[in-house]
Amino acid sequence: MTTEWAWIWIPATITAAAFQVGRNAIQRGLTEQLGTIGATQVRFLYGFPFAVLFAALALWVTGSQIPLMSWGFAGFIIAGAVSQIAATALMLGAMRKRAFVVVTAWTKTEPIQVALFGLFVLGDHLTWMAMIAIAVATAGVVLMARKPNKTADDSKGGWQPVAMGLLAGGAFAVAAVSFRGAILSLGDGHFLAHASWSLACGLGVQTLLLAGWMSLFDQAGWQRCLKAWRVSIWGGLLGASASQGWFLGFALTAAANVRTLGLVEVLFAQLFTWRVFLTKSSRNETIGMILVVIGVALLLR
């Protein structure tokens, strides 16, 4: 069954990247109102009910039982959950200091780190063509992040948003490999059921962790998070839908392949910026986008 549907990782990943741009935009808008932790919790708190719905539908459609979970599964889920919380908070913190597309680009240095973590932790070997594709696409992303003609806004925050963006990419890499490890640890079964169940468990852990932390240390922020449900619920829906796509990809191929193809998110973010903020692309951004497209084409080939 998995072999027959292996190609699904491609449309699932592209769809996930598109949904993630929308979710990031909503979270970025909520950061000023809710703070970095509050905006991070939106992704998990309001995404969890949708993830549970996705898991229930997946189990019903595939005729699967709830998977048997091991301590290995729990370890991978917790590692992925904590890493993703840290990555999201770092990303949103960086976005408060720098442009939406620039920070998105910095976090997308992730695929190289995913490839290394995946090799050492899960034994996910990649072909030479895949490694070249990762390098080319990542080079394109780094080039897009460079601003040849700096303005006062571009230099705002100095080196801190750069470091935060790169650390976010590393934490996202750990999360991607951990979640793939969780799915694989469930053993034989339908990939849709395993991916959806792992997502629901991951979001459940993340929601509980942040809810506990905010209840103890940021009760005012917790109250603001609950009151902002009208906007937040859309962030939750987009976030859960994006995560569903990522997890389907992790179930079917190496995390490095998924996260490299996921670099199309940078192109979607650029398109979003053109349409919403009415900004034009620089020469570096244009060349970078071409390299991302070439890298993705090499990967798919």
Side-chain angles (χ1 to χ4, degrees):
M1 175 65 74
T2 300
T3 302
E4 295 176 4
W5 292 93
W7 60 273
I8 287 292
W9 79 271
I10 297 173
T13 299
I14 294 173
T15 302
F19 282 138
Q20 186 152 299
V21 171
R23 187 212 67 203
N24 286 348
I26 290 175
Q27 283 187 291
R28 183 194 184 195
L30 288 169
T31 301
E32 295 298 328
Q33 177 185 354
L34 305 179
T36 300
I37 298 299
T40 301
Q41 173 67 317
V42 164
R43 170 182 184 173
F44 307 126
L45 175 65
Y46 292 97
F48 178 58
F50 293 108
V52 172
L53 177 61
F54 295 159
L57 288 174
L59 293 173
W60 177 64
V61 169
T62 62
S64 304
Q65 300 293 322
I66 293 177
L68 294 176
M69 294 171 286
S70 63
W71 286 110
F73 174 84
F76 277 125
I77 285 292
I78 293 172
V82 173
S83 298
Q84 198 171 52
I85 288 173
T88 304
L90 286 166
M91 179 188 71
L92 292 176
M95 282 181 177
R96 296 183 69 175
K97 299 176 180 292
R98 288 296 296 269
F100 179 73
V101 173
V102 175
V103 174
T104 299
W106 283 329
T107 64
K108 295 308 169 187
T109 56
E110 165 196 356
I112 292 178
Q113 301 176 71
V114 172
L116 293 174
F117 293 151
L119 174 62
F120 291 115
V121 177
L122 303 177
D124 282 338
H125 293 275
L126 300 175
T127 65
W128 281 105
M129 182 65 75
M131 288 187 283
I132 292 172
I134 292 171
V136 171
T138 302
V141 168
V142 172
L143 186 60
M144 287 179 69
R146 295 185 59 190
K147 294 291 184 181
N149 300 315
K150 293 186 177 181
T151 64
D153 183 66
D154 289 329
S155 59
K156 181 182 178 183
W159 60 270
Q160 291 181 339
V162 179
M164 292 169 70
L166 294 175
L167 285 173
F172 276 128
V174 173
V177 173
S178 297
F179 287 138
R180 172 163 164 77
I183 295 170
L184 295 179
S185 73
L186 293 176
D188 295 333
H190 200 287
F191 72 92
L192 177 60
H194 284 186
S196 302
W197 179 257
S198 298
L199 171 59
C201 291
L203 281 180
V205 170
Q206 290 165 327
T207 300
L208 289 174
L209 287 175
L210 273 187
W213 192 94
M214 294 184 75
S215 296
L216 291 173
F217 302 107
D218 189 11
Q219 293 185 8
W222 179 235
Q223 291 298 321
R224 291 195 301 270
C225 188
L226 295 176
K227 290 178 180 179
W229 66 268
R230 288 180 178 82
V231 176
S232 299
I233 196 169
W234 295 107
L237 174 59
L238 290 173
S241 299
S243 295
Q244 182 72 19
W246 297 128
F247 274 61
L248 285 175
F250 296 152
L252 295 169
T253 189
N257 291 335
V258 175
R259 299 310 285 173
T260 301
L261 180 55
L263 291 176
V264 297
E265 178 188 345
V266 178
L267 307 183
F268 293 147
Q270 186 68 66
L271 178 61
F272 178 85
T273 301
W274 288 343
R275 296 296 298 273
V276 176
F277 300 111
L278 301 179
T279 58
K280 296 181 179 180
S281 294
S282 67
R283 181 181 178 183
N284 280 354
E285 288 171 340
T286 300
I287 297 173
M289 285 188 286
I290 292 172
L291 289 175
V292 170
V293 171
I294 291 173
V296 168
L298 289 173
L299 177 70
L300 297 181
R301 183 174 182 274

